[in-house]
Amino acid sequence: MASHADDATVQRFAVDPRAGLADLVRTYQVSAVRYCQQLVGSAEDAEDVSQRGFLRVYDSGVRFESAEHFRAYFFRVLTHLCYDELRKRKRVRQIVTQAMPEEAEFHSAAAPPDRQAIGGELDALLQSALRSLSESERAVLHLREVERLSYRRISESLGITASEAGVMIHRARVKIQARIQPFLDEE
Amino acid sequence: MTVHCGDHQDRFSAWFDGELDAPEAWELDAHLRGCADCTAAWRRFQTSAEWLRSGLRQTAAAAPDPRYAVELARRLEHSRRPAARWRLLAPMAAAALLLAACGLFIWLQGRKQPPGAPAWTIAGNLETWRPETGRWENASALSSGAAVRAGDTPVRLQSEAGLVTLHEHASAVWQYQPDGRRSTWVLADGAMEIRNADHDLVIDVADTGIRFQADSAGTFVIRTHLAGEPGNRATPPAASPADELLTTVTNGDLRMRWNGRQFMLRAGDVLRLDPQPLHPAVKQRIDREIAELPAEYENFCATLVRNRQRQTLDTGIVSVQTATLAIPDATLSGDAAQCYRAASLAGVYPRLRQITARYAGVPQAQAELDRLVAIDAPVQDPAILDVWRDRLTQADAAAPDSPYRDRYAIALALAGDSEGVTWLKRRVGRENPESAVLANGGYVLAALGEPAGKTALRTLPARIQSRWQTMLAAPATTTAVSEHIHSMWNEKTGEITMYFSFDDPLQPLRDDVHSLAKAAAGLRRDHDDSGLRSLAKSLPVLYDAALRSQTAGETATFQLERIQPAPTGTATQDPIAARETSETPPPVEITHAGEERRPGEEDWDEAELNSPEFAARVLVLEALDCLKRAASRPEPRDPRAWENPPSMADIRRQAYEFRALDRDAFLDRVTADAAQCLSGGQR
């Protein structure tokens, strides 16, 4: 698919990181937040983690050659930050021994009003199905379906092989199919 | 259900995503066609996966929070503050630096835009069409970077970048750079209309990779998506494929970059994606044929059986239509192989893997696709190169005399792969002089600058040598190797012979000649001698056209003596009639300015070989050779006598494969044919 940002944006960042960061944020803000939200659940945490991702890129000093290069690097950074966030939560939960309130929040804050009104049931079904997946399965599914990355790019973003990415995507789809098939059969 | 089925079903996801290699896709497709369980499982999986994809993408289409950028800017300033470790070592100094950093932050904030309106954000007014009131209502601010999605009614955005309307259910993301006077839209789905923009516009159509650029615009409409492509839509579009790709420009110039090609459209133009440049005469003929197609198609079955030229033209039309639309659609063409070829030439190879399922029920398609895709696919794809290497190895091991194995070696060589070059070098030294491997391989090696290539070409018969040498001597051929590879059906052997175009200026004419030769073979197969004679008489016309186009007014100084039919055509001058009335075929000679040239007589005369007249004569000679070979074919003269049922059966089969006969008609006729054969072959 076409990149959401052209190479010029990334090259501008390479020449002048301070000024170029604004372009990067404008281009990738939505992608970053929704990806992080898919992994960590909470919209607030997703914003926080994605902003840390931008800062990490800014501080890294990496000069990206192309938008594709940037996307692979950026999503890898975001993935690591999200996993860190989840690990931190687990530690906190062990101490406080309370359930994660975010578990019910997947995407609910991001859903447009018309979708909330028309497709509330579908959304609930989708969110329920997504919750049945592991973090890594949600990550590959999101990178494939929403960010439309190829298996190769997904593998670069997650530090796995392309075939592993394919297996994880298939496994995630099969799990979700098992949950929604009765609903689709009714339709 | 078997373990084998489970293995296939494990590849559903990769197939759905277009990530399967071509051989795997074909294997899966073939399995699905023969396995009802897996077909049902695939349909369930596809429905579920499309539902999931649609749901995730719609849910994710959220507008960004404008406070995000402000918060990030604040954090960026904070991140410049000293690290905790340093503060631990020197708390007082840290406190001082913290104060200084805060002061710097406050100072920097003072230079920024107020919170909520960072420098890179600008607003436009978003309105929704209310059919009940007939008005645009509910204006709200929209920031740059926001995603916009229309519901059941259109929405429009008014800003200084123009008036943009998103049609029903369309979604897009808007980014605006006031300093650069540039407005960028990423159109994810649906159609959008842009009016009165005085800024530069970039419209990035997300799924198709098509990018439009306009310096300024009055009105134009952009639509997304190639119709019917799996995975792009939950619901196929109602509009025809042509509508999906047509772009009308009514004001302003539009620059478009598509698959590495640049287009410039002017006001009033209608964009048609036509990546294959056509010879004007061919294009004119095709346009005429397209206009006549609806009336012709009703009798196409009968026409096909009687006249194979009709078939040739029709599949040509389909190819051009398909390439024009860049949408291989089997229901449109009835010729899967041609569709694949056209689509491949159009540079849309990645889609081929996604649409393989459409060609179920075309028996010859798999073998054709195997060859054509391997030949025509873009050579930069490492996966394809791997496939070619495997095929070359397999062909070498399984069928040393396979006529197809050299294609993979040649394709590899043209792609710059050393394995292909090595194979060709090794092989051309062992081929006989009539070998196509020697001719094609030698030509490719020579064009690649390998001395072995020229050595090989010199062992060819003189007539073949001349053709290759002429092509190699053309200025463009020595500098670059074209990726165009043309497959030609050889009516004598039944195989497809490859020709390589190295920007040969005569290539369009060459194509025409070969089309005629192919048509002649079909006519001969159908025992249409009068058609053959008519065709033979058309060759001088073609020849004259070649001269006019190539000599730019110079008077022709030669004639094709003894083999060129007179304009009026007599029984003795007609080459077909001459072949039938004489045991000795007409001499095939090339004369120039009264001099005779005998095969193998001398080395090449560069000046003569470079002349367009010479090339034109070679073309006509090739066509005449085809005609003569067709004429000498020992086949029954009257098909109605049913002396050769397999021939008729072959015609029926081809008619069915080209979908000129539907399945029921085909089975009925075959049954009738069989009964007639059993009853003594009387019709």
Side-chain angles (χ1 to χ4, degrees):
Chain A
M1 63 164 288
S3 171
H4 286 194
D6 55 22
D7 291 341
T9 301
V10 172
Q11 285 162 4
R12 205 157 39 243
F13 177 74
V15 173
D16 184 354
R18 177 85 182 178
L21 182 62
D23 286 341
L24 280 184
V25 171
R26 185 171 57 241
T27 305
Y28 290 104
Q29 170 187 343
V30 173
S31 294
V33 172
R34 67 190 179 194
Y35 177 66
C36 294
Q37 190 174 354
Q38 188 63 256
L39 290 186
V40 301
S42 158
E44 290 74 19
D45 287 346
E47 287 203 355
D48 174 62
V49 172
S50 62
Q51 288 181 354
R52 277 158 43 202
F54 279 115
L55 294 176
R56 184 76 64 87
V57 168
Y58 181 79
D59 290 336
S60 69
V62 176
R63 296 295 172 257
F64 303 101
E65 299 163 357
S66 65
E68 286 294 310
H69 180 202
F70 170 77
R71 278 161 64 88
Y73 181 89
F74 185 48
F75 280 110
R76 174 178 281 211
V77 166
L78 290 178
T79 304
H80 287 313
L81 288 173
C82 287
Y83 286 168
D84 288 346
E85 177 68 20
L86 291 172
R87 276 194 292 271
K88 188 171 70 179
R89 277 187 196 169
K90 283 180 183 172
R91 286 197 297 272
V92 171
R93 189 161 57 177
Q94 285 170 354
I95 297 171
V96 182
T97 61
Q98 66 181 26
M100 290 167 59
E102 297 83 0
E103 284 188 352
E105 294 181 12
F106 284 111
H107 283 308
S108 58
D114 60 339
R115 184 171 177 81
Q116 287 179 6
I118 299 170
E121 187 183 353
L122 294 177
D123 273 344
L125 186 64
L126 177 61
Q127 304 314 324
S128 167
L130 287 172
R131 279 198 297 274
S132 70
L133 304 179
S134 67
E135 288 92 358
S136 55
E137 287 168 345
R138 281 206 301 273
V140 293
L141 201 58
H142 182 93
L143 291 176
R144 175 61 212 167
E145 301 291 34
V146 180
E147 302 305 328
R148 308 177 193 199
L149 298 187
S150 67
Y151 287 8
R152 188 166 67 86
R153 291 295 178 194
I154 292 172
S155 69
E156 290 172 3
S157 297
L158 299 182
I160 57 179
T161 67
S163 60
E164 285 171 344
V167 168
M168 290 170 70
I169 289 171
H170 183 67
R171 194 183 300 147
R173 281 176 174 154
V174 169
K175 280 185 184 177
I176 288 183
Q177 184 186 1
R179 282 184 163 256
I180 67 170
Q181 195 63 53
F183 172 79
L184 295 177
D185 290 341
E186 282 179 14
E187 280 196 330
Chain B
M1 183 73 57
T2 66
V3 176
H4 187 57
C5 288
D7 293 341
H8 284 298
Q9 291 178 14
D10 286 344
R11 293 189 288 187
F12 279 176
S13 262
W15 203 33
F16 181 76
D17 291 329
E19 293 272 356
L20 274 188
D21 290 338
E24 289 179 305
W26 291 325
E27 186 185 349
L28 180 55
D29 181 41
H31 177 76
L32 286 183
R33 277 188 279 142
C35 178
D37 287 344
C38 283
T39 302
W42 160 248
R43 287 185 182 139
R44 286 194 301 273
F45 178 86
Q46 189 180 28
T47 304
S48 157
E50 284 176 350
W51 181 88
L52 173 64
R53 174 173 290 178
S54 170
L56 281 173
R57 288 183 181 175
Q58 288 182 32
T59 306
D65 187 344
R67 294 169 302 180
Y68 183 95
V70 178
E71 173 64 17
L72 181 61
R74 188 188 64 77
R75 294 179 70 164
L76 179 62
E77 297 305 329
H78 278 280
S79 71
R80 305 279 77 80
R81 293 156 66 180
R85 180 173 54 86
W86 195 83
R87 289 202 307 272
L88 288 174
L89 293 174
M92 294 301 292
L97 281 174
L98 187 62
L99 286 173
C102 288
L104 178 62
F105 167 68
I106 292 169
W107 178 74
L108 287 173
Q109 288 295 305
R111 300 181 61 188
K112 283 180 169 294
Q113 298 289 328
W120 54 72
T121 304
I122 192 167
N125 287 326
L126 189 66
E127 299 173 322
T128 303
W129 174 252
R130 298 295 178 199
E132 59 272 20
T133 62
R135 300 174 60 180
W136 295 94
E137 294 179 354
N138 294 342
S140 59
L142 182 74
S143 300
S144 172
V148 187
R149 190 161 59 90
D152 292 335
T153 59
V155 298
R156 71 179 186 182
L157 174 71
Q158 293 192 75
S159 74
E160 61 185 70
L163 175 63
V164 175
T165 303
L166 288 180
H167 292 188
E168 296 87 342
H169 307 296
S171 61
V173 176
W174 177 50
Q175 291 157 2
Y176 182 56
Q177 293 174 274
D179 298 340
R181 296 183 63 78
R182 177 182 164 112
S183 184
T184 301
W185 286 87
V186 179
L187 181 57
D189 197 2
M192 65 190 300
E193 188 173 330
I194 301 172
R195 295 176 186 274
N196 307 322
D198 61 352
H199 286 46
D200 290 351
L201 285 167
V202 178
I203 300 101
D204 207 340
V205 184
D207 273 348
T208 61
I210 297 175
R211 163 162 292 202
F212 302 87
Q213 283 186 301
D215 295 332
S216 61
T219 302
F220 51 84
V221 180
I222 306 293
R223 296 175 190 275
T224 59
H225 295 311
L226 302 179
E229 185 176 350
N232 272 352
R233 284 175 183 265
T235 309
S240 71
D243 289 337
E244 291 295 302
L245 269 181
L246 287 182
T247 299
T248 306
V249 182
T250 57
N251 190 10
D253 296 340
L254 180 69
R255 278 199 309 274
M256 197 191 89
R257 189 174 65 227
W258 181 70
N259 277 345
R261 303 170 79 92
Q262 300 245 358
F263 300 88
M264 168 64 87
L265 295 166
R266 308 224 174 259
D269 285 352
V270 174
L271 168 66
R272 282 176 30 150
L273 298 179
D274 187 355
Q276 280 186 284
L278 292 174
H279 189 277
V282 177
K283 190 171 189 314
Q284 186 180 9
R285 184 183 66 197
I286 288 171
D287 287 342
R288 188 174 66 248
E289 294 290 342
I290 288 175
E292 295 171 356
L293 190 59
E296 287 286 339
Y297 202 77
E298 291 199 357
N299 298 319
F300 183 52
C301 171
T303 307
L304 172 69
V305 175
R306 284 199 306 272
N307 185 350
R308 295 295 296 276
Q309 184 183 8
R310 174 70 247 176
Q311 175 194 331
T312 304
L313 293 177
D314 195 81
T315 52
I317 292 166
V318 168
S319 295
V320 173
Q321 284 179 330
T322 309
T324 299
L325 299 176
I327 305 169
D329 187 336
T331 59
L332 170 70
S333 72
D335 184 345
Q338 288 288 344
C339 279
Y340 266 65
R341 176 173 174 74
S344 182
L345 290 174
V348 292
Y349 173 73
R351 292 199 178 88
L352 300 187
R353 290 182 287 192
Q354 296 183 338
I355 60 174
T356 306
R358 289 168 162 237
Y359 298 103
V362 184
Q364 205 176 10
Q366 291 307 313
E368 284 298 312
L369 299 182
D370 194 346
R371 292 199 293 271
L372 293 173
V373 172
I375 291 167
D376 292 331
V379 295
Q380 292 82 5
D381 188 345
I384 295 298
L385 295 183
D386 288 339
V387 171
W388 288 350
R389 288 191 199 96
D390 290 344
R391 297 291 168 84
L392 180 60
T393 306
Q394 291 167 10
D396 254 340
D401 296 319
S402 164
Y404 302 124
R405 68 209 156 116
D406 61 317
R407 298 179 177 187
Y408 299 114
I410 288 171
L412 284 167
L414 288 175
D417 184 85
S418 60
E419 189 173 336
V421 174
T422 305
W423 190 95
L424 288 175
K425 280 185 184 174
R426 189 177 69 241
R427 196 68 209 177
V428 295
R430 295 187 295 182
E431 294 290 332
N432 69 63
E434 294 292 336
S435 162
V437 176
L438 177 61
N440 293 336
Y443 179 38
V444 169
L445 288 174
L448 292 173
E450 294 286 346
K454 290 196 174 182
T455 304
L457 289 179
R458 288 178 188 278
T459 65
L460 291 169
R463 186 177 64 80
I464 303 176
Q465 269 191 33
S466 304
R467 185 178 65 195
W468 297 130
Q469 183 65 7
T470 302
M471 292 173 69
L472 282 172
T477 65
T478 55
T479 55
V481 176
S482 165
E483 293 174 4
H484 292 172
I485 304 173
H486 297 272
S487 298
M488 292 293 174
W489 178 62
N490 184 319
E491 84 288 351
K492 184 178 179 183
T493 64
E495 305 293 355
I496 296 177
T497 305
M498 284 174 57
Y499 291 86
F500 298 87
S501 167
F502 289 65
D503 294 327
D504 179 8
L506 288 177
Q507 188 59 45
L509 183 62
R510 190 182 298 277
D511 290 343
D512 280 355
V513 171
H514 280 280
S515 294
L516 286 174
K518 187 175 173 182
L523 290 171
R524 179 62 196 174
R525 177 180 292 186
D526 294 341
H527 317 285
D528 187 350
D529 288 347
S530 64
L532 273 176
R533 290 194 180 88
S534 299
L535 202 60
K537 288 171 189 170
S538 71
L539 285 174
V541 178
L542 195 65
Y543 168 71
D544 288 341
L547 285 183
R548 280 198 300 275
S549 64
Q550 299 296 327
T551 59
E554 290 182 16
T555 304
T557 57
F558 65 94
Q559 289 185 336
L560 290 176
E561 295 176 0
R562 287 182 287 181
I563 60 171
Q564 181 186 8
T568 54
T570 64
T572 54
Q573 288 172 315
D574 185 328
I576 304 303
R579 176 65 185 87
E580 290 171 348
T581 56
S582 169
E583 291 296 321
T584 306
V588 180
E589 297 180 8
I590 301 169
T591 61
H592 180 69
E595 296 178 5
E596 287 195 353
R597 181 180 186 81
R598 296 186 177 85
E601 181 183 57
E602 58 188 15
D603 285 336
W604 301 317
D605 179 341
E606 295 290 340
E608 180 187 344
L609 292 176
N610 287 337
S611 69
E613 294 90 342
F614 183 87
R617 276 184 292 159
V618 170
L619 291 176
V620 175
L621 278 175
E622 288 176 3
L624 286 174
D625 277 353
C626 291
L627 287 173
K628 281 184 292 184
R629 285 201 299 272
S632 62
R633 198 178 235 178
E635 285 187 354
R637 297 187 58 78
D638 183 5
R640 289 172 300 180
W642 274 100
E643 295 172 1
N644 191 355
S647 173
M648 203 62 203
D650 185 50
I651 292 173
R652 296 244 194 264
R653 181 183 57 77
Q654 292 193 38
Y656 173 58
E657 287 170 357
F658 282 100
R659 296 191 181 175
L661 283 176
D662 61 27
R663 182 178 176 80
D664 292 338
F666 171 66
L667 291 175
D668 288 344
R669 294 181 190 205
V670 168
T671 305
D673 291 346
Q676 285 165 347
C677 288
L678 290 173
S679 66
Q682 299 301 316
R683 289 176 67 97

